[in-house]
């Protein structure tokens, strides 16, 4: 029988010959999309979807995960090519830049925030300072 331009001998073991595309799991012709917050690709394997690492997420049928807002890729991660996300520290907030989550300073030494903050609006002035909403400075 011919599938597109590829001829498959049905006597062969289709389960061994066929592999699911990235973002799907299964064997042979029985492939289903990965659920949200899981992924599959050739490097990790496509027989079973893999959960996203801590601090990351994915859409359904994804081939990779990305860091959540309030986290950023850890540049100090080892060279295994595995995604490693670290929480935004106090005094920073999460921001999407070109679709990539990064941590940005709240604006100086008079600011603070809780870890994993996801908006500049959650940055607060330290004790004895008041936020000027027009200049976004602690005075």
């Amino acid at each position: 029988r011919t599938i597109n331009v590829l001829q498959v001998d049905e006597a062969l073991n289709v389960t061994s010959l066929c592999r699911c595309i990235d973002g799907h799991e299964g064997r042979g012709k029985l492939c289903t999309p990965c659920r949200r917050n899981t992924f599959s690709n050739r490097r990790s394997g496509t027989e079973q979807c893999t959960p996203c690492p801590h601090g990351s997420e994915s859409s359904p049928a994804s081939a990779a995960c990305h860091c959540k807002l309030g986290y950023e890729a850890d540049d100090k991660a080892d060279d295994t090519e595995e995604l490693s996300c670290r929480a935004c520290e106090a005094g920073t907030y999460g921001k999407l830049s070109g679709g990539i989550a990064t941590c940005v300073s709240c604006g100086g030494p008079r600011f603070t925030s809780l870890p994993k903050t996801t908006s500049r609006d959650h940055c607060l002035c330290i004790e004895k300072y008041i936020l000027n909403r027009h200049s976004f400075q602690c005075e």
Side-chain angles (χ1 to χ4, degrees), residues 36-39 50-58 64-66:
R36 178 178 166 82
N37 297 324
T38 65
F39 72 99
T50 303
C52 290
H54 176 74
S56 67
E57 62 188 359
S58 71
C65 300
H66 58 271

Side-chain angles (χ1 to χ4, degrees), residues 38-101:
T38 65
F39 72 99
S40 76
N41 57 45
R42 288 183 179 202
R43 197 174 93 249
S44 67
T46 57
E47 285 189 17
Q48 186 174 354
C49 297
T50 303
C52 290
H54 176 74
S56 67
E57 62 188 359
S58 71
S59 300
S62 289
C65 300
H66 58 271
C67 294
K68 294 178 184 179
L69 189 60
Y71 290 79
E72 69 180 350
D74 188 354
D75 295 332
K76 298 175 185 173
D78 59 21
D79 293 332
T80 61
E81 296 184 23
E82 292 293 323
L83 176 67
S84 176
C85 300
R86 63 183 165 98
C88 292
E89 298 175 351
T92 66
Y93 66 96
K95 180 178 181 180
L96 287 178
S97 179
I100 298 172

